[in-house]
Amino acid sequence: LDSSTPFKLMIITSLETFILHVPVTRNHISDSTHSITHWGMPGVRIFTDEGFTGYGFTGTHAHLASDRLITDCISNCYAELLIGQEASDISLLWERLAYYPPLQWVGRAGITKMALAAVDIALWDIKSKASNEPLWKTLGGSEKNKVEAYNTDGGWLNFSTQMLVDDVLRLTEVDGYKSIKMKVGKPDHSEDLQRVEAVRNAVGSGVRIMTDANGRWRMPEALSVASKLKDYDVTWIEEPLWHDDVRGHKDFADAIETPVALGEMLYSLAHFEEFISSQAVHYVQPDATRLGGITETLEVSNVAYEANLPVTPHAGDMAQTQIHLSISHPGIELLEFIPWIKDCFIEPLEIRSGYFDFPKNSGAGTTLTEEAMSKYGKKVS
């Protein structure tokens, strides 16, 4: 797909940022390093002279001050580079924003990349709306490419073992999921293994179990716990060590049998290339809301695919946008899903028997309802 080829001249006339804070399920959730009550959605609406409006957003822990840094970056740094430009020329606009010299001095990751992600997603939303088709078709996807969902929302670390088991059984026996993820990283490492064992005994051998330490462990404890995960047929251990530690993940991956997954805290194609070339990762987890949007996520997915590694995107967007690139990419068969924000959209994601439905509406699936904007909106400044 050549995203730089214009199909219709559309000029960006203005943009408007927003911040939504949407409640999570059951009042609050925790993993090994975070505890939150809301999911943040700093984002942007981009308007064109042809009447098309693109919606894009990133995902945060709903910390208003840092969310405003993201929307400030869009309004005060990116807006002047976008207004008056052709909306359909996504590759050119991406490079214009990503390599803008003043911003390279203050950040090539984090805030600037998350702001770029929101803009890029909004531009793809415009492009596919103008083509009158869902984004997965604009990206070359086919209805032959079914994508399985794995659910993370039943596996939080603050759940008791009984609540964990009950939720996993609900997801698998009632909702039809064939893959679930649970958090690990308890202070008592034996409790992690007891919880994994309880879940495996509950769901039997026909369900995939993934585990996620959220970067909590140091090497000795990581090896101590993760070396035993093979006994419970765990599909992967995610983020066992600090996120930027390439050498540590390589040594860890060499030492245990359970595959390593990571990527949600990586902000560039170059960073992914370093992990992949070092053979420090087995399941590659790009996130379009942390990278520079759909454009860079597709590049990461291509690099992983060429290295014969499966791509299983992390869902900072709760999969609302990334289902489209997942359908379109041959390296993606499995996508994370958490249901917190799905009812904020005109066309919420639907999952049947563990697989995503194909979105039908034109666009990237990011168009928000006015009710959600009103109910969950925060002041951007």
Side-chain angles (χ1 to χ4, degrees):
L1 177 71
D2 183 4
S3 63
S4 67
T5 302
F7 55 91
K8 187 174 187 180
L9 292 179
M10 287 184 295
I11 303 303
I12 297 171
T13 57
S14 63
L15 60 78
E16 179 181 278
T17 57
F18 59 84
I19 298 172
L20 272 58
H21 285 180
V22 183
V24 304
T25 50
R26 302 181 188 83
N27 300 319
H28 84 282
I29 58 90
S30 297
D31 58 33
S32 67
T33 51
H34 313 98
S35 182
I36 63 172
T37 60
H38 291 72
W39 190 244
M41 298 172 61
V44 62
R45 290 193 286 189
I46 296 178
F47 303 95
T48 70
D49 62 349
E50 291 291 334
F52 295 105
T53 301
Y55 289 71
F57 65 96
T58 182
T60 72
H61 284 185
H63 179 249
L64 187 56
S66 55
D67 287 349
R68 285 173 174 164
L69 293 176
I70 295 171
T71 53
D72 283 350
C73 182
I74 296 171
S75 298
N76 299 324
C77 298
Y78 287 155
E80 65 179 348
L81 303 175
L82 291 166
I83 294 172
Q85 300 299 310
E86 187 181 327
S88 61
D89 207 345
I90 298 175
S91 293
L92 180 64
L93 291 176
W94 193 94
E95 291 185 6
R96 184 181 178 91
L97 271 57
Y99 301 123
Y100 184 49
L103 289 190
Q104 288 188 33
W105 283 98
V106 299
R108 294 183 298 278
I111 291 165
T112 56
K113 267 301 183 72
M114 296 173 83
L116 176 56
V119 169
D120 183 80
I121 291 167
L123 292 173
W124 279 106
D125 188 39
I126 290 170
K127 189 177 184 76
S128 53
K129 283 176 176 174
S131 297
N132 195 30
E133 62 188 5
L135 178 59
W136 58 266
K137 284 190 176 181
T138 305
L139 293 172
S142 163
E143 290 195 12
K144 296 178 182 178
N145 302 331
K146 292 191 69 175
V147 178
E148 184 184 351
Y150 77 84
N151 194 301
T152 296
D153 201 37
W156 301 108
L157 211 58
N158 57 309
F159 293 178
S160 68
T161 301
Q162 187 58 57
M163 185 176 180
L164 171 66
V165 168
D166 289 345
D167 257 29
V168 167
L169 287 175
R170 172 182 58 82
L171 290 171
T172 56
E173 294 183 354
V174 178
D175 296 340
Y177 287 94
K178 301 171 181 65
S179 302
I180 58 95
K181 187 166 79 179
M182 58 178 290
K183 301 294 184 172
V184 292
K186 287 279 191 179
D188 181 354
H189 304 315
S190 64
E191 190 176 353
D192 281 327
L193 295 173
Q194 290 167 4
R195 287 161 64 89
V196 173
E197 182 179 25
V199 170
R200 175 54 75 201
N201 288 340
V203 300
S205 61
V207 172
R208 281 193 286 199
I209 299 174
M210 286 76 89
T211 55
D212 185 358
N214 290 98
R216 179 69 175 183
W217 293 327
R218 296 183 179 181
M219 185 66 80
E221 57 189 339
L223 291 173
S224 174
V225 181
S227 64
K228 299 179 179 64
L229 293 176
K230 67 179 187 303
D231 298 336
Y232 307 105
D233 191 24
V234 168
T235 300
W236 72 57
I237 174 62
E238 185 173 332
E239 293 191 315
L241 305 170
W242 183 249
H243 315 293
D244 302 311
D245 186 359
V246 179
R247 181 175 177 177
H249 279 92
K250 165 61 174 171
D251 292 343
F252 178 83
D254 287 344
I256 69 165
E257 294 183 29
T258 301
V260 172
L262 58 83
E264 69 178 84
M265 296 296 283
L266 305 185
Y267 291 89
S268 71
L269 171 62
H271 209 172
F272 274 96
E273 287 177 328
E274 188 176 10
F275 273 90
I276 290 169
S277 64
S278 299
Q279 298 181 329
V281 58
H282 303 109
Y283 286 88
V284 180
Q285 298 179 308
D287 187 328
T289 70
R290 302 273 174 84
L291 290 161
I294 293 163
T295 298
E296 194 166 23
T297 303
L298 287 170
E299 292 182 359
V300 169
S301 300
N302 288 339
V303 169
Y305 186 63
E306 289 171 3
N308 292 314
L309 294 175
V311 181
T312 56
H314 171 264
D317 66 333
M318 307 293 139
Q320 190 70 30
T321 304
Q322 292 186 110
I323 182 56
H324 293 270
L325 66 87
S326 297
I327 292 169
S328 72
H329 198 278
I332 305 176
E333 298 178 356
L334 186 67
L335 174 64
E336 183 175 26
F337 175 67
I338 304 173
W340 298 338
I341 65 173
K342 77 179 189 69
D343 292 330
C344 294
F345 301 97
I346 296 293
E347 185 183 24
L349 285 179
E350 296 293 340
I351 296 170
R352 302 176 197 277
S353 301
Y355 286 85
F356 288 95
D357 277 358
F358 290 87
K360 299 293 192 297
N361 291 359
S362 64
T366 50
T367 303
L368 293 156
T369 68
E370 288 302 321
E371 180 183 3
M373 296 284 281
S374 174
K375 186 175 182 180
Y376 302 125
K378 301 292 182 182
K379 290 185 177 179
V380 295
S381 61

